[in-house]
Amino acid sequence: MRIGVFICHCGSNIAGTVDCAKVAAIARTYPDVVYADDPMYTCAEPGQAAIEAAIHEHKLDGVVVASCSPRMHEPTFRRTVERAGLNRYMLEMANIREHVSWIGKDMEANTNKAAELVQLAVEKLRNNKPLMAKSFDVNKRVLVIGGGVAGIQAALDCADGGVPVVLVEREATIGGKMAKLDKTFPTVDCSACILGPKMVDVAQHSNITLYAYSEVEDISGYVGNFTVKIRKRSTYVDWSLCTGCGACTEKCPAKKTPDAFNELTGTTTAITIAFPQAIPKKAVINPQFCRQLLKGKCGVCAKVCPTGAIKYDMEDEIITEEVGSIVAATGYDLMDWTVYKEYGGGTYPDVITSLQYERLLSASGPTGGHVKRPSDGREPKNIVFVQCVGSRDKSVGRPYCSGFCCMYTAKQAILTKDHIPDSKSFVFYMDIRAPGKMYDEFTRRAMEEYGTEYIRGRVSQIYPDANGQMTVMGVDTLLGQPVEIKADLVVLAVGVEASKGSPQLAEKLRISYDSYGFFMESHVKLKPVETNTAGVYLAGVCQGVKDIPASVAQGSAAAAKVLALFSKDKLESDPQIAQVDIRRCVNCGKCIRCCPFGAIKEVEIRGEGKAQVIETVCQGCGLCTSTCPQGAIQLSHATDNQILAEVNALCQC
Amino acid sequence: MTIFALPCEGTLDMARVNQDLGRYTKIDGVTYDEAGVTITADGKDHRFCMTDYAQGKCYGCTTPSAVLADTLLGQPVKVDGAAGTPPELALLDSMSLDERLAFWRGQMDRCLRCYACRNACPMCVCRDYCVSDSRDPHWMTQEDSAKEKLFFQTIHAMHLAGRCTGCGECQRACPVGIPIMALRQQIARAVAQLFDGYQPGLNPDEVPPLLGYEVVEKNIHERDWK
Amino acid sequence: MRGTGNEHHPLVTPDGLPAFLAYLSQNGRRVLVPVEKPANKRSVVFEPWQEGKPFTMEKATVPAKEAVLPQCETLVRYKKTKDPDNIERVTMSLDDKPEAQPTVVFACRPCDARGYVVLDRPYLKGPYADPYYKARREQLTVVTLTCGSGCNTCFCHWVGGGPTSPEGSDVLMTEIEGGYVLQAITPRGEELLAASTLAEGAELFPKAEAARKQAWASLTPAPNIKDAPEKVAARFTDTQFWQDQTDRCLSCGACTYFCPTCYCFTITDEGEGLSEKGGRRLRSWDNCMSSLFTREASGHNPRMLKALRMRNRVSHKYSTYPENWGAFSCSGCGRCISNCPVCLDIRAIVLAAIDDGNDDKKSTDK
Amino acid sequence: MPVLNGKELRIVGFLCNWCSYGGADTAGVARATQPTDLRVIRVPCSGRIDPLFIVKALLNGADGVLVSGCHPRDCHYAAGNFYARRRLEVLKQFLPVLGIDERRFEYTWVSASEGQRWQQVVTVFTDRIHKLGPAPQLDDPEPLLKIADMALTSLRSLGTGQKAALAELKEAIKAKLPELDCVIGWQQGYDAAHTVPLFMKTPEDVDKLVWGPFNVNNPAVYLPTFKGKKVGIVVKGCDSRSVVELLQET
């Protein structure tokens, strides 16, 4: 081999504590090194040009660059050597900046260490082989999981971009949490009025196939070619016939059915349509309360249905869809706030969640938009809002901030004043977090224009008294004195957590999730939309708490990623993947058991079972390589011999 | 596959039997009694009582009857108590780290790399493709240093981690009597301690511990770096 | 054969042995003596003798082959150096001097000694003499202890040797009551004894001869296997036969690595000429029972089956080697039997091979 | 390159590319001063690290080996570090039996953002290795030979199994033999005190079957060679565990 070594000064970043010229001199003594130099800035245009020139002049077939971290400039120098006609994998880097010059002052030790790191790189390189990427077709369809505002945005943007979209929503209607909101901050405009049109667009868009009341059962395949199994849960109503006229819901005798859409603030019928603007506007029977399904006698809805859409014997259906990319937008749920026994733990009817309060405020809610408290239907005069219930609270395992509670609490305080002019609102808060456009101004309006009283402190206890009022005990940490407020209604700003079933979905998607169930992005700052599974993107709160504008933005961002991915007709697979030496493979199956991506399958070759790597699925972790006892499966670019060469370079006594 | 089994009452440690038989030209015969055998060699009788001359593994054996069999004849054997530390491991336990190094140095010196240990091992599935003599991957050289020989024993032990059932064939097969079982026994002890007393070879449906994982490991704890 | 009648026959008493060994180890001679390793399995190996180091007169578990054919030896050491002015100019220095030192093998058995004779033929008497082997062999003196009896796996007398065979030895020692009577077999042996200060024991030599006769008498009569070469060769195409003989073989290398007459090796290069250690070309034992022995670069392997590999081993020892050199390449030490994890018995295989049904040669091991 | 005499010891690090290597970079960017001994080998995932790399390093002169990967649950490859955790922990507990101080090997988790933690880890570990000093080498000490004490007491009564139902067993095997290619057992070897594996194909073979304290061989070793064939096997208790383990893996 003919290796060229380039020891970068990085100005004084490296040269300051490493004798680069000496390192280059030592490098010249290494095997196969035929050229070594120590340029000022290797990554700069002249530096790269020098590398290309040296490759031509000295007929190099491998290059070692000793400079900053490969995580920084490996792609740069791979392109450099490629321009000069070398395979991009015939480059190795020695990190002598982050790992040497920046962490030690001792010139002698640093120089010696740098020289050794260069030696490692040379020894590794001597075992490198050119690797070629393979290309494969892309199925230009996208699956969006979750029909909340983030999912809707992603679906619409993709669809507008000409990409067929499969939208899967767990509930009977899309719209997610936003559809339950009365108004939105900081503009106090009607949630339904701004979300509604988008929902209708989804229903009407020729590029969007919507599966409501459905869930993702299984996902296999890889970027460009996923196969998705979708479970269409039984609605007992043939939606192809249902017109959403609502005749059934009027006549249904099971009127005591808890109303999930209204956050259980009211009741509905066993057969129901979630809300007037529901998309799809179709009826669904709740089998736990339908008399026909429970006792086998009733059948009223079937009688009244003008189109004969009721099908009591309907069963779940599994549908298979082929897509090339997936956007996860599964949103959130409220944490179980009943753990707060000091707040009644859900036993006091007049201590409710903020989302329930939204329904009380909403014209389409159970009270028709008139704020009545659940216990006796009286209009509350004193309303206490308690923030950070299940946020920033280690004691209940929720150390993070839910982000938008400060804002909607201010909004709800303002709306309360609008609904009940002679009412008085109190807000217990820890800190007010209003970092958005017009946000802080908004909270100030709540205090200054609407006279909401903000008390900085946590509520220690809430208990009912004889005359049906709640006593809220807390402390004003600014005045440093305890406060006690009589409230007709207490609204808890309950913190959010990843929606139920997120971990299970993450495992189907083969992406990772944090200890609260939020999906992990590729890079917390620089890749907030990507995941570590190629072709799978994130939108909305499923990745971390955010408000509506941020969710919509990420929905569009995810769509942009999908469209960018689909802008190519073929994808290139990373050649740094495992390869099986079928002569050595004894088909013991250990690699197949371990592979986190299901990327290894057993095939029969001339009557013998052998392991085979599915190139497009393999992510290149190398777990199989360290699992295979006979070393028959080797991870390209990190083979046993390559790593052993490095170990031997360091340990040779 | 069909498995036939009889309850086992123990097998002889032929290494020690031969030690005590000494030099003889031929075995005239063997007579059995309840507790042992009498080997007649060159007309001389030598009595070997099972309790004194069984293989090391037999003393701590908790599965005298097959754990899985299609035809299992005879009565199951009663076993009291759990196995203690096997003899080879107990020997190593009694030494300091430096002594252990010196011990392996002394033992490995006489290894001829005949690989009887490997080929007698029922769990060595690589067979003709062992990394011990491949160039790609190139884990080992052909040098006859104690280091290379001990490294091979480590390869074997690690490849058997969580799989070795302690049948002891590796050590029995070793023509120069190197107590290599100790290495497998140490791993077996670690595996049992880490994975709730897991013992290989008791349940065909179990996943070998090193081919699986728990998100939260009960017995593995992150160290602090204070 | 020399060495009968009224010649110089020194006597070594058991407590005189250390002094004698000290004498043998004079002028830089390495004296390899059998040493019993503490282990639950009897394990006797040859090690350089040192003052005060315990040794044994027992038959060794391993043959004394390492004295001339080490398990692994460095044939060539090479170091590379780069010309600082033109790093593309690399010069290399070679060192291929055989590592050899005057050696005495002490108290090996006649089967070990005959092993050297078997090794000598291919390594010295063929078209090329192996310089490494030659260097060690020429400096080797073999002091053999004759056997007082055979043991259960011994069959030296089947293959032209015997418990007292002098073949390959420079000196024969025979144990008698109160000591060992020495007998020089070769001029080299004579020199060695001449210079020693041992007490004369010629008058005891008849006792020694009696002991030798006694040793022969203790053996069970050997079957006649003189026509083994043809008979074994005739089995060459009879794969079924070899399969029946080897179904239990584990394909390990115990039989060959513990054999005093097996001499196959493999050559590998290790290290890097430019590193401190430099590069090394190694010659190490190889064994025909391993499938790697004949696996070709393409992956093709003419001896995939262990049966074919066993056929090779037995045929080589009892058919092809005799064809080439007129003697079996087996000294009947029985180590391949006693060290085999599954007690494969080459005696049984040979007898089965030559037993074509119409004669009465029956295996002696059943 | 020789280790800087007096100054440094040989410490090898294996870092996963995504978390710990990034963490080391972060430490560098923050100019977090660290001891200079460590030499980092970059691997894609802690799951890629074959414990044998570590043993090889320690046997060949490394004074310490440090492995670091992504925190559990954060693995770039979803589960690589979960497997690594088990294997590395087993290795750590294995090393002492070789005579290698387990403190010379450590593994931990450092994320790409934890530059400070990385500095802490490197400093503490390097300090630990310097306290331990240069690692003793296998070739250094005088050989020490000791014998295991075989005076043991058994968990059950040992015997020669002469009452075992051998005759019935033979009948059972003969009954099954027609549908099997071969049944593996034991027969007498070259004398009455040695038995060897027996491969029964005919009823006459079955008559050769013996049972007793000389049946030392583990017949399970032959099973892989019968892959795909209909084979029977006679087992002792311990042999049956090998069979079970083999079943686990097929």
Side-chain angles (χ1 to χ4, degrees):
Chain A
M1 234 185 135
R2 298 177 61 84
I3 297 173
V5 178
F6 300 84
I7 315 295
C8 183
H9 285 234
C10 195
S12 64
N13 281 307
I14 294 170
T17 58
V18 174
D19 182 343
C20 297
K22 185 169 177 209
V23 174
I26 297 168
R28 290 190 190 91
T29 67
Y30 293 150
D32 293 350
V33 173
V34 296
Y35 177 79
D37 192 13
D38 55 321
M40 183 53 75
Y41 286 106
T42 322
C43 59
E45 199 281 334
Q48 295 192 48
I51 295 176
E52 292 180 60
I55 291 173
H56 295 305
E57 186 184 339
H58 300 275
K59 304 185 181 52
L60 306 179
D61 51 16
V63 167
V64 169
V65 176
S67 58
C68 50
S69 170
R71 284 166 53 95
M72 174 86 109
H73 269 317
E74 196 168 53
T76 315
F77 293 119
R78 279 183 173 168
R79 284 192 297 271
T80 311
V81 299
E82 216 160 22
R83 279 200 302 278
L86 296 191
N87 180 278
R88 76 173 80 147
Y89 296 98
M90 297 310 283
L91 165 90
E92 283 299 324
M93 289 186 73
N95 184 347
I96 62 169
R97 193 178 72 176
E98 286 84 348
H99 291 194
V100 181
S101 67
W102 277 353
I103 60 169
K105 299 271 156 292
D106 180 332
M107 184 72 124
E108 185 200 13
N110 281 2
T111 305
N112 173 70
K113 182 177 180 180
E116 283 192 19
L117 293 184
V118 170
Q119 187 189 16
L120 286 193
V122 168
E123 289 303 328
K124 163 99 192 305
L125 178 59
R126 295 176 78 206
N127 289 273
N128 283 15
K129 290 188 184 62
L131 303 175
M132 305 297 172
K134 290 210 170 60
S135 68
F136 56 93
D137 295 326
V138 190
N139 176 354
K140 295 185 179 181
R141 303 178 78 231
V142 62
L143 167 73
V144 177
I145 307 172
V149 65
I152 288 172
Q153 188 63 40
L156 287 173
D157 288 355
C158 289
D160 292 344
V163 171
V165 178
V166 177
L167 177 59
V168 175
E169 166 57 49
R170 177 159 59 184
E171 305 301 331
T173 172
I174 60 170
K177 296 286 184 297
M178 184 175 175
K180 299 186 178 193
L181 304 183
D182 176 37
K183 305 271 190 304
T184 58
F185 59 80
T187 46
V188 200
D189 48 1
C190 162
S191 186
C193 316
I194 54 175
L195 181 63
K198 283 188 174 291
M199 292 168 63
V200 175
D201 289 351
V202 168
Q204 293 172 346
H205 207 299
S206 58
N207 269 346
I208 300 181
T209 314
L210 170 61
Y211 295 110
Y213 212 61
S214 303
E215 289 183 66
V216 170
E217 186 85 354
D218 176 63
I219 299 170
S220 60
Y222 49 90
V223 58
N225 301 277
F226 292 103
T227 302
V228 185
K229 285 197 168 55
I230 298 162
R231 173 180 295 275
K232 273 184 81 180
R233 280 153 57 213
S234 166
T235 57
Y236 304 97
V237 178
D238 181 342
W239 282 6
S240 62
L241 298 174
C242 177
T243 60
C245 67
C248 51
T249 60
E250 287 158 25
K251 294 281 179 298
C252 177
K255 302 222 183 294
K256 290 266 166 294
T257 309
D259 187 346
F261 182 80
N262 281 329
E263 292 290 310
L264 313 176
T265 49
T267 58
T268 179
T269 46
I271 185 165
T272 177
I273 297 170
F275 67 108
Q277 302 92 329
I279 298 287
K281 192 159 194 263
K282 307 282 183 188
V284 174
I285 292 180
N286 178 338
Q288 273 109 17
F289 294 87
C290 170
R291 297 180 181 176
Q292 180 64 34
L293 290 171
L294 287 172
K295 307 199 182 56
K297 54 170 112 66
C298 176
V300 172
C301 48
K303 290 190 201 74
V304 300
C305 179
T307 61
I310 312 298
K311 300 264 181 294
Y312 294 119
D313 59 355
M314 191 186 252
E315 283 179 352
D316 290 7
E317 186 186 351
I318 300 290
I319 294 157
T320 304
E321 288 280 2
E322 308 278 340
V323 298
S325 176
I326 299 173
V327 175
T330 50
Y332 67 94
D333 280 310
L334 294 187
M335 66 92 63
D336 173 21
W337 67 278
T338 60
V339 298
Y340 285 90
K341 297 294 173 228
E342 62 271 40
Y343 298 170
T347 56
Y348 311 141
D350 295 332
V351 179
I352 62 174
T353 70
S354 46
L355 208 47
Q356 290 175 320
Y357 194 55
E358 287 288 340
R359 296 315 299 154
L360 294 185
L361 290 166
S362 167
S364 66
T367 57
H370 304 295
V371 180
K372 296 174 183 165
R373 63 179 203 171
S375 58
D376 51 15
R378 271 201 296 119
E379 194 173 64
K381 297 297 176 198
N382 277 7
I383 297 107
V384 171
F385 296 89
V386 183
Q387 290 191 194
C388 301
V389 177
S391 295
R392 305 176 63 191
D393 186 350
K394 278 212 184 71
S395 67
V396 297
R398 288 290 179 277
Y400 55 87
C401 170
S402 293
F404 46 61
C405 320
C406 291
M407 295 310 300
Y408 71 63
T409 303
K411 175 195 73 183
Q412 290 178 341
I414 288 172
L415 293 174
T416 307
K417 199 73 176 171
D418 289 341
H419 281 73
I420 315 164
D422 61 342
S423 69
K424 174 80 179 154
S425 295
F426 304 82
V427 176
F428 281 90
Y429 71 101
M430 287 165 69
D431 302 287
I432 294 176
R433 303 198 160 172
K437 194 173 182 182
M438 302 289 293
Y439 282 16
D440 201 61
E441 299 88 319
F442 186 70
T443 55
R444 297 227 155 273
R445 277 178 63 204
M447 299 178 210
E448 291 154 10
E449 288 175 38
Y450 290 81
T452 311
E453 190 169 324
Y454 271 71
I455 304 161
R456 187 180 185 285
R458 289 204 82 124
V459 168
S460 58
Q461 200 186 5
I462 302 170
Y463 60 91
D465 58 21
N467 44 31
Q469 273 198 315
M470 313 298 300
T471 306
V472 181
M473 292 174 63
V475 62
D476 186 324
T477 55
L478 297 180
L479 295 174
Q481 56 186 225
V483 281
E484 193 173 301
I485 297 165
K486 296 283 180 197
D488 305 307
L489 183 67
V490 180
V491 180
L492 306 177
V494 177
V496 303
E497 62 185 18
S499 61
K500 310 262 176 300
S502 296
Q504 293 73 0
L505 180 62
E507 274 147 31
K508 289 176 190 151
L509 288 164
R510 288 189 243 99
I511 63 180
S512 33
Y513 53 95
D514 67 18
S515 43
Y516 311 107
F518 292 110
F519 299 151
M520 297 288 294
E521 58 285 339
S522 259
H523 186 284
V524 69
K525 290 181 221 63
L526 302 179
K527 289 185 170 183
V529 179
E530 296 92 325
T531 66
N532 288 336
T533 299
V536 177
Y537 306 105
L538 304 176
V541 182
C542 66
Q543 174 260 341
V545 285
K546 47 182 78 63
D547 58 13
I548 291 166
S551 298
V552 172
Q554 204 181 10
S556 291
K561 286 288 170 190
V562 172
L563 295 173
L565 178 74
F566 288 174
S567 66
K568 308 188 200 69
D569 296 327
K570 286 188 177 293
L571 290 181
E572 270 206 345
S573 64
D574 184 341
Q576 297 177 81
I577 55 168
Q579 279 188 325
V580 179
D581 175 348
I582 58 166
R583 284 175 308 177
R584 295 191 69 80
C585 176
V586 299
N587 192 32
C588 67
K590 294 184 181 69
C591 52
I592 298 174
R593 282 190 182 206
C594 289
C595 178
F597 305 98
I600 311 175
K601 62 171 191 252
E602 184 185 338
V603 295
E604 192 173 296
I605 297 175
R606 276 179 247 95
E608 278 187 81
K610 299 284 179 185
Q612 188 176 74
V613 176
I614 310 165
E615 292 177 336
T616 40
V617 184
C618 176
Q619 303 284 310
C621 66
L623 182 59
C624 52
T625 309
S626 55
T627 302
C628 176
Q630 66 271 30
I633 186 164
Q634 291 288 333
L635 174 62
S636 303
H637 215 58
T639 62
D640 284 338
N641 278 5
Q642 285 170 319
I643 296 173
L644 282 167
E646 296 179 89
V647 172
N648 293 338
L650 288 171
C651 313
Q652 47 194 215
C653 87
Chain B
M1 180 173 49
T2 318
I3 307 173
F4 305 90
L6 293 174
C8 173
E9 294 181 15
T11 50
L12 283 165
D13 182 345
M14 292 310 288
R16 288 187 295 142
V17 167
N18 282 325
Q19 283 274 34
D20 293 9
L21 276 176
R23 193 178 175 82
Y24 61 87
T25 52
K26 68 185 250 294
I27 301 278
D28 308 317
V30 174
T31 56
Y32 296 84
D33 57 64
E34 281 295 290
V37 297
T38 304
I39 299 176
T40 314
D42 299 344
K44 277 223 311 307
D45 285 355
H46 307 258
R47 177 78 172 33
F48 297 98
C49 181
M50 289 304 292
T51 51
D52 304 327
Y53 285 89
Q55 292 198 75
K57 63 174 177 179
C58 298
Y59 294 96
C61 175
T62 52
T63 58
S65 311
V67 294
L68 183 74
D70 304 272
T71 309
L72 176 54
L73 301 163
Q75 298 310 313
V77 186
K78 193 169 153 305
V79 180
D80 322 313
T85 311
E88 296 82 3
L89 189 53
L91 175 63
L92 269 296
D93 285 348
S94 72
M95 300 182 193
S96 71
L97 284 171
D98 293 347
E99 286 174 329
R100 291 174 197 170
L101 211 56
F103 177 79
W104 290 119
R105 163 75 199 284
Q107 295 292 343
M108 289 305 156
D109 271 345
R110 67 178 185 275
C111 163
L112 292 189
R113 292 184 74 167
C114 71
Y115 293 126
C117 49
R118 175 189 72 192
N119 291 40
C121 173
M123 299 315 299
C124 271
V125 290
C126 304
R127 301 285 150 174
D128 297 345
Y129 296 95
C130 179
V131 290
S132 64
D133 26 37
S134 84
R135 297 286 288 188
D136 184 7
H138 188 182
W139 282 97
M140 293 184 65
T141 75
Q142 295 303 312
E143 277 147 313
D144 59 355
S145 66
K147 204 178 271 179
E148 286 298 305
K149 296 166 180 174
L150 183 59
F151 185 60
F152 172 73
Q153 290 305 324
T154 306
I155 292 177
H156 189 253
M158 290 309 286
H159 284 174
L160 261 79
R163 306 167 60 231
C164 173
T165 62
C167 76
E169 282 293 88
C170 49
Q171 182 169 307
R172 188 192 64 80
C174 178
V176 289
I178 304 175
I180 47 180
M181 273 290 276
L183 302 177
R184 286 80 177 158
Q185 290 160 345
Q186 172 66 16
I187 288 187
R189 180 162 65 181
V191 166
Q193 182 263 317
L194 290 171
F195 308 116
D196 303 332
Y198 178 83
Q199 283 189 311
L202 294 183
N203 171 1
D205 306 324
E206 234 158 341
V207 177
L210 294 195
L211 293 183
Y213 66 87
E214 294 289 332
V215 172
V216 176
E217 295 283 1
K218 195 144 109 247
N219 306 317
I220 306 180
H221 308 294
E222 167 69 353
R223 293 146 187 86
D224 65 356
W225 288 91
K226 297 296 149 289
Chain C
M1 174 180 129
R2 314 160 48 92
T4 42
N6 49 5
E7 295 157 10
H8 175 49
H9 286 302
L11 171 81
V12 195
T13 59
D15 15 341
L17 282 169
F20 183 49
L21 289 167
Y23 158 71
L24 291 178
S25 58
Q26 280 167 11
N27 9 342
R29 271 187 304 241
R30 172 179 65 146
V31 184
L32 298 175
V33 294
V35 173
E36 167 122 39
K37 291 291 181 182
N40 277 321
K41 180 180 258 177
R42 186 191 300 118
S43 169
V44 178
V45 302
F46 283 92
E47 285 185 353
W49 177 79
Q50 290 158 16
E51 189 73 59
K53 184 174 172 183
F55 62 95
T56 173
M57 303 298 275
E58 273 298 306
K59 179 183 177 183
T61 322
V62 304
K65 181 164 72 177
E66 292 230 31
V68 286
L69 194 62
Q71 189 181 348
C72 177
E73 67 177 307
T74 305
L75 299 180
V76 184
R77 296 176 189 284
Y78 57 96
K79 261 192 165 298
K80 292 181 184 167
T81 39
K82 280 184 166 183
D83 175 351
D85 306 325
N86 173 7
I87 56 174
E88 295 202 33
R89 194 183 300 122
V90 177
T91 51
M92 185 162 80
S93 63
L94 278 184
D95 167 15
D96 59 358
K97 204 161 39 53
E99 303 150 343
Q101 127 184 51
T103 301
V104 177
V105 169
F106 180 80
C108 66
R109 301 304 179 109
C111 46
D112 291 310
R114 292 190 73 234
Y116 297 125
V117 180
V118 173
L119 299 179
D120 287 346
R121 298 189 184 103
Y123 277 112
L124 301 178
K125 308 221 164 32
Y128 307 102
D130 181 286
Y132 302 90
Y133 180 88
K134 192 158 179 281
R136 280 184 291 265
R137 185 64 171 108
E138 280 167 351
Q139 302 187 67
L140 179 70
T141 313
V142 182
V143 179
T144 305
L145 173 64
T146 60
C147 297
S149 74
C151 71
N152 59 329
T153 50
C154 290
F155 62 110
C156 46
H157 58 309
W158 293 28
V159 290
T164 69
S165 162
E167 201 183 353
S169 303
D170 297 296
V171 174
L172 277 189
M173 310 169 65
T174 303
E175 183 171 19
I176 60 162
E177 198 184 352
Y180 304 87
V181 177
L182 275 55
Q183 173 190 17
I185 301 299
T186 62
R188 170 174 299 199
E190 273 169 9
E191 272 170 55
L192 192 73
L193 295 191
S196 80
T197 58
L198 294 170
E200 179 54 48
E203 72 284 3
L204 296 164
F205 189 63
K207 280 196 172 182
E209 282 183 311
R212 296 183 185 179
K213 285 201 183 58
Q214 172 53 36
W216 276 95
S218 77
L219 302 176
T220 40
N224 173 4
I225 61 166
K226 66 175 189 327
D227 53 356
E230 306 73 48
K231 291 284 179 74
V232 171
R235 294 282 191 184
F236 188 84
T237 53
D238 185 355
T239 306
Q240 188 56 52
F241 169 80
W242 297 106
Q243 272 172 339
D244 296 343
Q245 295 301 321
T246 54
D247 46 14
R248 70 178 190 254
C249 172
L250 297 171
S251 301
C252 73
C255 47
T256 55
Y257 286 0
F258 286 80
C259 173
T261 68
C262 275
Y263 51 77
C264 290
F265 58 79
T266 182
I267 289 179
T268 50
D269 288 1
E270 296 295 346
E272 159 58 49
L274 283 162
S275 75
E276 295 140 85
K277 259 183 148 181
R280 283 129 28 239
R281 172 155 296 178
L282 307 174
R283 167 159 78 179
S284 48
W285 291 351
D286 199 351
N287 88 87
C288 55
M289 304 308 286
S290 153
S291 77
L292 278 76
F293 188 74
T294 48
R295 190 193 295 157
E296 296 166 11
S298 66
H300 169 68
N301 191 341
R303 294 189 209 135
M304 272 307 237
L305 300 173
K306 59 185 179 183
L308 302 184
R309 304 198 283 267
M310 180 64 78
R311 177 189 71 191
N312 174 75
R313 175 167 159 257
V314 176
S315 303
H316 177 263
K317 293 189 174 305
Y318 286 86
S319 173
T320 52
Y321 185 98
E323 274 170 34
N324 294 334
W325 304 106
F328 295 124
S329 76
C330 168
S331 62
C333 70
R335 289 189 177 96
C336 56
I337 307 165
S338 55
N339 290 319
C340 176
V342 292
C343 303
L344 256 177
D345 189 342
I346 193 168
R347 297 171 297 191
I349 299 178
V350 172
L351 290 174
I354 60 182
D355 172 8
D356 40 27
N358 59 24
D359 57 9
D360 56 351
K361 294 189 216 70
K362 276 279 155 271
S363 153
T364 56
D365 72 330
K366 287 276 160 66
Chain D
M1 293 280 304
V3 178
L4 277 184
N5 285 341
K7 262 188 185 174
E8 286 184 357
L9 290 174
R10 174 56 81 219
I11 303 179
V12 183
F14 294 90
L15 272 60
C16 85
N17 176 56
W18 302 98
C19 293
S20 295
Y21 196 94
D25 287 354
T26 310
V29 173
R31 310 297 197 274
T33 312
Q34 300 156 41
T36 53
D37 309 50
L38 182 73
R39 305 286 180 266
V40 170
I41 294 175
R42 174 174 165 236
V43 293
C45 174
S46 51
R48 171 65 187 91
I49 300 162
D50 191 324
L52 292 167
F53 289 131
I54 296 153
V55 181
K56 181 129 180 120
L58 289 168
L59 278 178
N60 290 287
D63 301 305
V65 176
L66 176 64
V67 167
S68 186
C70 305
H71 286 277
R73 278 209 187 81
D74 286 4
C75 180
H76 181 82
Y77 302 102
N81 56 356
F82 287 139
Y83 287 95
R85 182 169 54 185
R86 285 190 164 195
R87 296 168 186 187
L88 296 171
E89 185 65 31
V90 168
L91 173 71
K92 198 166 164 57
Q93 300 199 20
F94 170 71
L95 290 174
V97 78
L98 293 175
I100 297 174
D101 191 326
E102 54 97 18
R103 289 170 298 176
R104 293 188 182 275
F105 162 60
E106 199 54 87
Y107 69 97
T108 187
W109 321 117
V110 174
S111 80
S113 58
E114 295 177 312
Q116 272 191 321
R117 176 176 162 81
W118 176 250
Q119 177 189 30
Q120 172 84 345
V121 165
V122 174
T123 311
V124 170
F125 187 70
T126 308
D127 179 57
R128 180 201 291 183
I129 298 306
H130 277 269
K131 283 204 181 74
L132 289 169
Q137 290 304 298
L138 184 64
D139 308 333
D140 299 345
E142 267 307 298
L144 165 81
L145 290 165
K146 286 188 177 177
I147 309 179
D149 175 10
M150 301 303 287
L152 305 163
T153 49
S154 174
L155 300 178
R156 41 95 190 227
S157 60
L158 297 165
T160 53
Q162 291 316 292
K163 288 220 185 64
L166 182 56
E168 293 89 316
L169 182 64
K170 287 181 178 173
E171 287 323 304
I173 296 172
K174 283 178 182 169
K176 275 265 188 348
L177 204 52
E179 65 223 45
L180 298 171
D181 298 325
C182 168
V183 178
I184 315 170
W186 302 266
Q187 65 180 324
Q188 185 184 316
Y190 50 73
D191 64 34
H194 293 84
T195 64
V196 296
L198 164 70
F199 299 83
M200 298 170 265
K201 300 185 182 70
T202 65
E204 297 67 52
D205 296 335
V206 180
D207 294 326
K208 295 187 196 148
L209 179 67
V210 297
W211 181 265
F214 293 105
N215 290 10
V216 289
N217 303 75
N218 181 347
V221 72
Y222 298 103
L223 285 177
T225 59
F226 283 87
K227 219 170 191 176
K229 295 219 184 75
K230 280 203 245 51
V231 60
I233 182 167
V234 189
V235 292
K236 309 185 291 291
C238 47
D239 306 334
S240 74
R241 290 181 57 185
S242 306
V243 177
V244 167
E245 194 61 22
L246 285 166
L247 286 173
Q248 261 189 20
E249 297 183 5
T250 44

